CSV table of all heavy atoms in Angstrom, one decimal:
chain,number,residue,atom,x,y,z
O,19,ALA,N,36.6,-113.7,121.3
O,19,ALA,CA,37.6,-112.7,121.7
O,19,ALA,C,36.9,-111.8,122.7
O,19,ALA,O,35.7,-111.7,122.8
O,19,ALA,CB,38.0,-111.9,120.5
O,20,PRO,N,37.7,-111.0,123.4
O,20,PRO,CA,37.1,-110.0,124.4
O,20,PRO,C,36.2,-109.1,123.7
O,20,PRO,O,36.4,-108.6,122.6
O,20,PRO,CB,38.4,-109.3,124.9
O,20,PRO,CG,39.5,-110.2,124.7
O,20,PRO,CD,39.2,-111.0,123.5
O,21,ARG,N,35.1,-108.7,124.4
O,21,ARG,CA,34.2,-107.8,123.8
O,21,ARG,C,34.7,-106.4,123.9
O,21,ARG,O,35.5,-106.1,124.8
O,21,ARG,CB,32.8,-107.9,124.6
O,21,ARG,CG,32.1,-109.2,124.4
O,21,ARG,CD,30.7,-109.2,124.9
O,21,ARG,NE,30.0,-110.4,124.7
O,21,ARG,CZ,28.7,-110.5,124.9
O,21,ARG,NH1,28.0,-109.5,125.5
O,21,ARG,NH2,28.0,-111.7,124.6
O,22,LEU,N,34.1,-105.5,123.1
O,22,LEU,CA,34.5,-104.1,123.1
O,22,LEU,C,33.2,-103.3,123.5
O,22,LEU,O,32.1,-103.8,123.4
O,22,LEU,CB,34.9,-103.6,121.7
O,22,LEU,CG,36.3,-104.2,121.2
O,22,LEU,CD1,36.4,-103.8,119.7
O,22,LEU,CD2,37.4,-103.7,122.0
O,23,PRO,N,33.4,-102.1,124.1
O,23,PRO,CA,32.3,-101.3,124.4
O,23,PRO,C,31.4,-101.1,123.2
O,23,PRO,O,31.9,-100.9,122.0
O,23,PRO,CB,32.9,-100.0,124.9
O,23,PRO,CG,34.2,-100.3,125.3
O,23,PRO,CD,34.7,-101.4,124.4
O,24,ALA,N,30.1,-101.0,123.3
O,24,ALA,CA,29.2,-100.8,122.2
O,24,ALA,C,29.5,-99.5,121.5
O,24,ALA,O,29.8,-98.5,122.1
O,24,ALA,CB,27.8,-100.9,122.7
O,25,VAL,N,29.4,-99.5,120.2
O,25,VAL,CA,29.5,-98.3,119.4
O,25,VAL,C,28.2,-97.4,119.6
O,25,VAL,O,27.1,-98.0,119.5
O,25,VAL,CB,29.7,-98.6,117.9
O,25,VAL,CG1,29.8,-97.3,117.1
O,25,VAL,CG2,30.9,-99.4,117.7
O,26,PRO,N,28.3,-96.2,120.0
O,26,PRO,CA,27.1,-95.4,120.2
O,26,PRO,C,26.2,-95.4,119.0
O,26,PRO,O,26.7,-95.3,117.9
O,26,PRO,CB,27.7,-94.0,120.5
O,26,PRO,CG,29.0,-94.2,121.1
O,26,PRO,CD,29.6,-95.4,120.4
O,27,ALA,N,24.9,-95.5,119.2
O,27,ALA,CA,24.0,-95.6,118.1
O,27,ALA,C,24.0,-94.5,117.1
O,27,ALA,O,23.6,-94.6,115.9
O,27,ALA,CB,22.6,-95.8,118.6
O,29,ASP,N,26.7,-92.8,116.1
O,29,ASP,CA,28.0,-92.7,115.4
O,29,ASP,C,27.9,-93.1,114.0
O,29,ASP,O,27.0,-93.9,113.6
O,29,ASP,CB,29.1,-93.6,116.1
O,29,ASP,CG,29.8,-93.0,117.3
O,29,ASP,OD1,29.3,-91.9,117.7
O,29,ASP,OD2,30.7,-93.6,117.8
O,189,THR,N,24.7,-95.9,113.4
O,189,THR,CA,25.4,-97.1,113.2
O,189,THR,C,24.5,-98.1,112.4
O,189,THR,O,25.0,-98.9,111.6
O,189,THR,CB,25.7,-97.8,114.5
O,189,THR,OG1,24.5,-98.0,115.3
O,189,THR,CG2,26.7,-97.1,115.3
O,213,GLY,N,27.8,-99.1,111.3
O,213,GLY,CA,28.2,-99.8,112.5
O,213,GLY,C,29.1,-101.0,112.2
O,213,GLY,O,30.1,-101.3,113.0
O,216,LEU,N,32.6,-99.5,111.7
O,216,LEU,CA,33.1,-99.0,112.9
O,216,LEU,C,33.5,-100.1,113.8
O,216,LEU,O,34.5,-100.0,114.6
O,216,LEU,CB,32.1,-98.1,113.6
O,216,LEU,CG,31.8,-96.7,112.9
O,216,LEU,CD1,30.7,-96.0,113.6
O,216,LEU,CD2,33.1,-95.8,113.0
O,217,ALA,N,32.8,-101.2,113.8
O,217,ALA,CA,33.2,-102.4,114.6
O,217,ALA,C,34.5,-102.9,114.1
O,217,ALA,O,35.4,-103.3,114.9
O,217,ALA,CB,32.1,-103.4,114.6
O,218,GLU,N,34.7,-102.9,112.8
O,218,GLU,CA,36.0,-103.4,112.2
O,218,GLU,C,37.1,-102.5,112.6
O,218,GLU,O,38.2,-103.0,112.9
O,218,GLU,CB,35.8,-103.5,110.7
O,218,GLU,CG,37.1,-103.9,109.9
O,218,GLU,CD,37.4,-105.3,110.0
O,218,GLU,OE1,36.6,-106.1,110.6
O,218,GLU,OE2,38.4,-105.8,109.5
O,219,VAL,N,36.9,-101.2,112.5
O,219,VAL,CA,37.9,-100.2,112.8
O,219,VAL,C,38.3,-100.4,114.3
O,219,VAL,O,39.5,-100.5,114.6
O,219,VAL,CB,37.5,-98.8,112.5
O,219,VAL,CG1,38.4,-97.8,113.1
O,219,VAL,CG2,37.3,-98.6,111.0
O,220,ARG,N,37.4,-100.4,115.2
O,220,ARG,CA,37.7,-100.6,116.6
O,220,ARG,C,38.4,-101.9,116.9
O,220,ARG,O,39.3,-101.9,117.7
O,220,ARG,CB,36.4,-100.4,117.4
O,220,ARG,CG,35.8,-99.0,117.4
O,220,ARG,CD,34.6,-99.0,118.4
O,220,ARG,NE,34.2,-97.6,118.6
O,220,ARG,CZ,33.5,-97.2,119.6
O,220,ARG,NH1,33.1,-98.1,120.6
O,220,ARG,NH2,33.1,-95.9,119.8
O,221,GLY,N,37.9,-103.0,116.3
O,221,GLY,CA,38.5,-104.3,116.6
O,221,GLY,C,40.0,-104.3,116.1
O,221,GLY,O,40.8,-104.8,116.9
O,223,LEU,N,42.1,-101.7,115.6
O,223,LEU,CA,42.9,-100.8,116.4
O,223,LEU,C,43.2,-101.3,117.8
O,223,LEU,O,44.3,-101.2,118.3
O,223,LEU,CB,42.2,-99.4,116.5
O,223,LEU,CG,42.1,-98.6,115.2
O,223,LEU,CD1,41.4,-97.3,115.5
O,223,LEU,CD2,43.5,-98.4,114.6
O,224,ALA,N,42.2,-102.0,118.4
O,224,ALA,CA,42.4,-102.6,119.7
O,224,ALA,C,43.2,-103.9,119.7
O,224,ALA,O,44.0,-104.2,120.6
O,224,ALA,CB,41.0,-102.9,120.4
O,225,GLY,N,43.0,-104.6,118.6
O,225,GLY,CA,43.7,-105.9,118.5
O,225,GLY,C,45.1,-105.9,117.9
O,225,GLY,O,45.9,-106.9,118.2
O,411,LEU,N,39.6,-111.1,116.2
O,411,LEU,CA,39.9,-109.7,116.7
O,411,LEU,C,38.9,-109.4,117.8
O,411,LEU,O,37.8,-110.0,117.9
O,411,LEU,CB,39.7,-108.7,115.6
O,411,LEU,CG,40.8,-108.6,114.5
O,411,LEU,CD1,40.4,-107.8,113.3
O,411,LEU,CD2,42.1,-108.0,115.2
O,412,PRO,N,39.2,-108.5,118.7
O,412,PRO,CA,38.2,-108.1,119.8
O,412,PRO,C,36.9,-107.8,119.2
O,412,PRO,O,36.7,-107.1,118.2
O,412,PRO,CB,38.9,-106.8,120.4
O,412,PRO,CG,40.4,-107.0,120.2
O,412,PRO,CD,40.5,-107.7,118.8
O,413,GLY,N,35.8,-108.3,119.9
O,413,GLY,CA,34.5,-108.2,119.4
O,413,GLY,C,33.9,-109.3,118.6
O,413,GLY,O,32.7,-109.3,118.3
O,414,ASN,N,34.8,-110.2,118.1
O,414,ASN,CA,34.4,-111.2,117.2
O,414,ASN,C,34.5,-112.6,117.9
O,414,ASN,O,35.1,-112.8,118.9
O,414,ASN,CB,35.3,-111.3,116.0
O,414,ASN,CG,35.2,-110.0,115.2
O,414,ASN,OD1,34.2,-109.3,115.3
O,414,ASN,ND2,36.2,-109.6,114.5
O,428,GLY,N,29.7,-111.3,115.3
O,428,GLY,CA,30.2,-110.0,115.9
O,428,GLY,C,29.6,-108.8,115.2
O,428,GLY,O,28.8,-108.9,114.3
O,429,GLY,N,30.0,-107.6,115.7
O,429,GLY,CA,29.5,-106.4,115.1
O,429,GLY,C,29.9,-106.2,113.6
O,429,GLY,O,29.3,-105.4,113.0
O,430,VAL,N,30.8,-107.0,113.1
O,430,VAL,CA,31.3,-106.8,111.7
O,430,VAL,C,30.4,-107.6,110.8
O,430,VAL,O,30.5,-107.4,109.5
O,430,VAL,CB,32.7,-107.3,111.6
O,430,VAL,CG1,33.7,-106.5,112.4
O,430,VAL,CG2,32.9,-108.8,112.0
Side-chain angles (χ1 to χ4, degrees):
R21 292 190 177 188
L22 292 172
V25 180
D29 274 8
T189 55
L216 288 171
E218 177 75 3
V219 170
R220 288 187 172 202
L223 294 178
L411 285 167
N414 298 334
V430 297

